[in-house]
Amino acid sequence: MADGSEKNAVVSNKKPITGLGVSKVIDSRNPELKEGDLFWGITGWEEYSLLKSSEGLFKIHHTDIPLSYYTGILGMPGLTAYGGFYEVCAPKKGEYVFVSAASGAVGQLVGQFAKLMGCYVVGSAGTQDKVELLKNKFGFDDAFNYKEEPDLNAAVKRYFPEGIDIYFENVGGKMLDAVLLNMRVRGRIAVCGMISQYNCDQPEGVHNLMSIVYKRVRIEGFAVADYYPQYSKFLDFILPYIREGKIKYVEDIVEGLENGPTALIGLFNGRNVGKQVVVVASQ
Amino acid sequence: MADGSEKNAVVSNKKPITGLGVSKVIDSRNPELKEGDLFWGITGWEEYSLLKSSEGLFKIHHTDIPLSYYTGILGMPGLTAYGGFYEVCAPKKGEYVFVSAASGAVGQLVGQFAKLMGCYVVGSAGTQDKVELLKNKFGFDDAFNYKEEPDLNAAVKRYFPEGIDIYFENVGGKMLDAVLLNMRVRGRIAVCGMISQYNCDQPEGVHNLMSIVYKRVRIEGFAVADYYPQYSKFLDFILPYIREGKIKYVEDIVEGLENGPTALIGLFNGRNVGKQVVVVASQ
């Protein structure tokens, strides 16, 4: 099972693409990972991988939950949402939270964390199906399809007449520009990613950065690796919510490694709904 | 004595422009400010001002230092540099610090604070005279004239081959774009102002914001008002350095209120050297 969502996947003629996946140990010379053990971490997009180090691999102890969840809610995206929202955004009850790419693996969790905190949360996504998912399944207070908004600034203002305290940034570009105009004083923007910009020859210009001064805004990028030491604390936090159904999680599962490239490309045009997972083999 | 550097100065047909100035009390119904007392704070650009509240006015207790210093190093710009550098930038010894508009009222202090902290500091300015001032008077490790650099990214890279830990941002636009490409991991950008953008019909686009994610950069705007409660602590910190000559301060003094408008406009094309002060009347 490999996960095609990694932006750091590198294509080479000699080596398989790497990505976050869930794997079973076939053979091991590492006493910490024995034959039959399950783990998640960076592996190759291939049926069998030879891993020379266990660095960045996390042993799986809870198997009452679908193993694919360790590519998402219980893996890197889950920890990203957890660290990014609770640590970088420093949310307070009642604050106004906006999440872009909100039905994605990270965004869907950030919105639900925001609701657990007692925040008001609105998400943006690129299809009407995703908008419905945000409102009906994930419990966002509201959601909109950014592709149907000719004026993003007006759209953001419509959903946040009082302004935004926290923006969880996944897309960059024009959306960031619209959000900057609508931030509240001492607002925070946690920059998780800027997917709209990754394949641009020249990244789009962002024009409204003066809001940073006028509104005393903090913009901060972060890396999930900073939160790896908190992984077991994160599991203790999220497992009960998953088991009780209080946090929902949606995946878009594609069968077969041969469909991996299409799944990867689909991420950039929003074809997937929820976390994109490619099933290479069932255990 | 009025200070023409305030970006929040408002022009109206009915009221004088307001700015930070040093004034003497002629008459007062406020027991905290008696006749003859000196204070700094927001007053009108006029010889006599009627102030209805003492909010935002700071009584002057130390007069062994030029009174004009209370429009700068001992006033709002000094406190801005102090709060912005020590609190927002959270500097550590040995870090690489870059200051734009570095010979200005705030920049010249930030650079000197950075040297006091044991940092390596480079400043940019718009004339060769200012560059010499930065290196020879203020003790910057190096300085350059941004107007003579056809490629700002290359210029920043030349002065910071190891990258920048702290950028004290006064100008915005192209300079910010060049700096973003050269930030180090966990770098901090304190946004004090963006003077290059204030008079643009459409602010310039900043293209390299993805560095925020890749390098885990924090960008933060701040307001001097947040540091007003620290004003007396700031005075205790800076007065000894001024008296011992360990912190230098350069002003550009213009005589006569009638020269105020020209002085104000000059700020936007860099005509002044150091803090721009307009002397309305001597006490």
Side-chain angles (χ1 to χ4, degrees):
Chain A
M1 195 181 296
D3 164 13
S5 77
E6 281 310 287
K7 59 177 178 280
N8 57 348
V10 172
V11 181
S12 124
N13 290 328
K14 295 183 181 166
K15 290 179 183 171
I17 294 179
T18 56
L20 285 170
V22 172
S23 307
K24 184 191 259 183
V25 179
I26 305 291
D27 191 14
S28 170
R29 293 184 197 159
N30 183 330
E32 284 170 29
L33 283 174
K34 295 187 201 69
E35 194 185 320
D37 279 352
L38 294 160
F39 67 88
W40 68 268
I42 290 183
T43 58
W45 285 35
E46 54 191 351
E47 292 186 324
Y48 299 92
S49 278
L50 176 67
L51 303 179
K52 292 184 176 167
S53 157
S54 63
E55 202 184 338
L57 302 183
F58 295 82
K59 202 162 160 178
I60 293 173
H61 298 283
H62 307 274
T63 54
D64 60 322
I65 279 162
L67 286 178
S68 61
Y69 277 29
Y70 289 95
T71 68
I73 185 169
L74 296 180
M76 190 276 280
L79 193 59
T80 299
Y82 181 74
F85 184 65
Y86 290 106
E87 303 275 336
V88 183
C89 298
K92 290 188 282 290
K93 187 177 172 181
E95 286 194 316
Y96 298 94
V97 177
F98 179 48
V99 184
S100 55
S103 71
V106 176
Q108 59 177 283
L109 296 176
V110 171
Q112 293 179 83
F113 292 163
K115 289 310 301 172
L116 289 173
M117 278 295 296
C119 295
Y120 177 84
V121 60
V122 176
S124 64
T127 67
Q128 198 52 38
D129 281 356
K130 292 179 184 178
V131 166
E132 296 306 320
L133 198 64
L134 294 175
K135 292 198 280 192
N136 301 328
K137 178 138 188 147
F138 299 133
F140 281 57
D141 292 289
D142 218 329
F144 65 93
N145 180 348
Y146 72 92
K147 290 182 181 166
E148 289 179 354
E149 298 291 346
D151 180 343
L152 276 180
N153 176 24
V156 172
K157 205 176 288 298
R158 192 165 73 240
Y159 288 96
F160 293 97
E162 310 281 333
I164 297 168
D165 293 296
I166 290 172
Y167 173 45
F168 198 93
E169 166 70 298
N170 289 306
V171 306
K174 290 182 184 66
M175 186 62 94
L176 177 55
D177 240 342
V179 167
L180 280 166
L181 284 182
N182 290 285
M183 290 303 287
R184 303 183 88 191
V185 168
R186 292 180 199 270
R188 289 135 272 152
I189 299 178
V191 186
C192 178
M194 293 193 174
I195 199 168
S196 74
Q197 304 298 301
Y198 296 142
N199 292 329
C200 297
D201 289 335
Q202 153 85 318
E204 281 179 276
V206 170
H207 298 268
N208 299 325
L209 291 169
M210 282 191 291
S211 293
I212 297 172
V213 194
Y214 299 148
K215 308 276 188 66
R216 290 177 264 173
V217 168
R218 169 163 59 83
I219 304 183
E220 192 164 349
F222 64 98
V224 65
D226 296 340
Y227 305 109
Y228 281 164
Q230 296 185 41
Y231 182 61
S232 71
K233 186 179 148 207
F234 163 66
L235 279 188
D236 292 345
F237 162 83
I238 203 157
L239 282 168
Y241 284 121
I242 296 175
R243 290 181 178 132
E244 292 163 24
K246 287 184 180 163
I247 285 190
K248 313 287 188 188
Y249 184 61
V250 169
E251 299 171 309
D252 193 326
I253 294 182
V254 168
E255 297 280 339
L257 181 55
E258 64 278 14
N259 292 313
T262 311
L264 174 61
I265 293 163
L267 287 171
F268 293 94
N269 54 36
R271 217 192 47 184
N272 61 307
V273 178
K275 169 66 181 177
Q276 179 70 72
V277 180
V278 177
V279 179
V280 175
S282 296
Q283 68 154 326
Chain B
M1 197 181 297
D3 165 14
S5 78
E6 281 311 287
K7 58 179 179 281
N8 55 349
V10 173
V11 181
S12 126
N13 291 329
K14 293 183 182 169
K15 290 179 183 170
I17 293 177
T18 56
L20 285 171
V22 173
S23 306
K24 184 191 262 184
V25 178
I26 304 290
D27 192 14
S28 170
R29 293 185 198 159
N30 183 330
E32 285 171 27
L33 282 173
K34 295 188 202 68
E35 193 186 319
D37 280 350
L38 294 160
F39 67 90
W40 70 267
I42 290 182
T43 56
W45 285 34
E46 54 192 351
E47 292 186 327
Y48 299 92
S49 277
L50 176 66
L51 304 179
K52 291 184 176 168
S53 156
S54 63
E55 202 183 338
L57 303 183
F58 295 82
K59 202 161 160 177
I60 292 173
H61 298 284
H62 307 275
T63 55
D64 60 322
I65 280 162
L67 286 178
S68 61
Y69 277 29
Y70 289 94
T71 68
I73 185 169
L74 296 180
M76 190 276 280
L79 193 60
T80 299
Y82 181 75
F85 184 65
Y86 290 105
E87 304 276 334
V88 182
C89 298
K92 290 187 283 289
K93 187 178 171 181
E95 285 194 317
Y96 298 94
V97 177
F98 178 48
V99 184
S100 55
S103 70
V106 176
Q108 60 177 283
L109 296 176
V110 171
Q112 293 179 81
F113 293 163
K115 289 311 299 173
L116 289 173
M117 279 293 297
C119 296
Y120 177 84
V121 60
V122 176
S124 65
T127 68
Q128 198 52 38
D129 281 353
K130 291 179 185 179
V131 166
E132 295 306 319
L133 199 64
L134 294 175
K135 292 198 281 190
N136 301 329
K137 179 138 187 148
F138 299 132
F140 282 56
D141 293 290
D142 219 328
F144 65 93
N145 180 348
Y146 71 90
K147 289 182 182 167
E148 289 179 354
E149 298 291 345
D151 180 342
L152 276 180
N153 176 24
V156 172
K157 204 176 289 298
R158 193 165 72 238
Y159 288 95
F160 293 97
E162 309 281 331
I164 296 169
D165 294 296
I166 290 172
Y167 173 44
F168 197 93
E169 166 69 297
N170 289 306
V171 305
K174 291 182 184 67
M175 186 63 92
L176 177 56
D177 242 343
V179 167
L180 280 165
L181 284 182
N182 290 285
M183 290 302 288
R184 302 184 88 192
V185 168
R186 292 180 199 272
R188 289 135 271 152
I189 299 178
V191 187
C192 179
M194 292 192 173
I195 198 169
S196 73
Q197 303 299 300
Y198 295 141
N199 292 329
C200 297
D201 289 335
Q202 153 85 320
E204 281 179 276
V206 171
H207 298 268
N208 299 325
L209 291 168
M210 281 192 293
S211 294
I212 297 172
V213 193
Y214 299 149
K215 308 277 188 66
R216 292 176 261 173
V217 168
R218 169 164 59 83
I219 303 183
E220 192 164 351
F222 64 98
V224 66
D226 295 343
Y227 305 109
Y228 281 165
Q230 296 185 40
Y231 182 63
S232 71
K233 186 180 148 206
F234 162 67
L235 279 188
D236 292 343
F237 163 83
I238 203 158
L239 282 169
Y241 284 121
I242 297 174
R243 289 179 179 136
E244 293 163 23
K246 287 183 180 164
I247 285 189
K248 313 288 187 185
Y249 184 61
V250 170
E251 298 171 308
D252 193 327
I253 295 183
V254 168
E255 296 281 339
L257 181 55
E258 64 278 14
N259 293 314
T262 311
L264 174 61
I265 292 162
L267 287 172
F268 292 94
N269 53 37
R271 217 192 47 184
N272 62 309
V273 177
K275 169 65 179 177
Q276 180 71 70
V277 180
V278 177
V279 178
V280 174
S282 296
Q283 69 156 327

